[in-house]
Amino acid sequence: MPRERGEKVIATNRRARHDYTIEKSYEAGMVLTGTEVKSLRQGRANLSDGYAFVKGNEVFLDSVHIPEYSQGHWTNHSAKRIRKLLLHREEIAKIAHAVSAGGYTLIPLKLYFSDGRAKVEIALAKGKREYDKRQTLRERQDTREADRAMRLRNRVGE
């Protein structure tokens, strides 16, 4: 029985949804050292530059910054090392096929603890062009303005 229950989010990649169109997301476990887990429990991580890649029949996470543990000594880890992800074989095959076909990238969306175990949510994503980003922002702004107008109209009508 795990000591911790539920989900505790450590870091999110907020730029990912702006820069990419998310097609499908996967939950993956991570192979970590002891000091990495302790550093994550302190809530310290940065996903902004991170990406994942398939090599052979394995998936790896690169450029995710987990700073060194403050009370660690010679057993401390390097901050931006390549970490192995734990996924089912069928999921790895689907991801490898999509990435090799072209146009898709694997990016981390969220790093969290699920029932005491470190997990990362990776997404199969397609990069947005500049005009796509502007269109998304424009749509979000239009819906926000429409909601404001509806709220104002409902208040006046009361």
Side-chain angles (χ1 to χ4, degrees):
M1 177 172 280
R3 282 187 274 164
E4 299 176 15
R5 293 226 177 259
E7 187 175 294
K8 179 187 168 198
V9 177
I10 300 160
T12 57
N13 190 351
R14 295 178 60 180
R15 293 285 303 171
R17 297 195 189 276
H18 177 70
D19 293 338
Y20 297 95
T21 303
I22 308 300
E23 299 291 325
K24 185 159 174 66
S25 63
Y26 299 93
E27 180 184 59
M30 296 172 58
V31 177
L32 300 172
T33 63
T35 55
E36 285 175 321
V37 175
K38 289 180 179 186
S39 185
L40 287 176
R41 290 212 186 276
Q42 290 178 339
R44 300 168 56 199
N46 186 359
L47 296 175
S48 61
D49 298 331
Y51 65 95
F53 61 92
V54 180
K55 185 176 181 183
N57 290 329
E58 298 176 329
V59 180
F60 296 93
L61 189 63
D62 195 11
S63 296
V64 170
H65 186 265
I66 299 175
E68 291 184 348
Y69 181 55
S70 57
Q71 280 88 34
H73 41 82
W74 60 271
T75 59
N76 242 336
H77 61 279
S78 62
K80 283 199 173 187
R81 74 178 187 91
I82 296 174
R83 295 166 181 93
K84 184 177 175 183
L85 297 181
L86 305 172
L87 288 159
H88 291 285
R89 187 173 294 141
E90 298 84 25
E91 291 175 335
I92 294 172
K94 287 178 187 176
I95 290 170
H97 185 270
V99 170
S100 66
Y104 286 103
T105 310
L106 273 176
I107 54 168
L109 296 179
K110 181 170 61 168
L111 189 61
Y112 58 97
F113 281 106
S114 176
D115 292 336
R117 302 217 166 138
K119 304 282 185 182
V120 64
E121 182 180 355
I122 58 172
L124 202 56
K126 193 172 271 200
K128 283 186 184 177
R129 302 238 191 282
E130 198 63 38
Y131 57 84
D132 290 335
K133 294 177 191 178
R134 283 194 298 267
Q135 181 67 27
T136 305
L137 288 174
R138 195 174 302 120
E139 288 172 0
R140 192 177 308 142
Q141 185 178 4
D142 290 344
T143 57
R144 194 176 300 135
E145 288 176 3
D147 289 343
R148 272 193 205 123
M150 292 296 287
R151 269 197 310 271
L152 183 64
R153 184 167 182 255
N154 287 340
R155 284 187 192 149
V156 171
E158 291 178 359

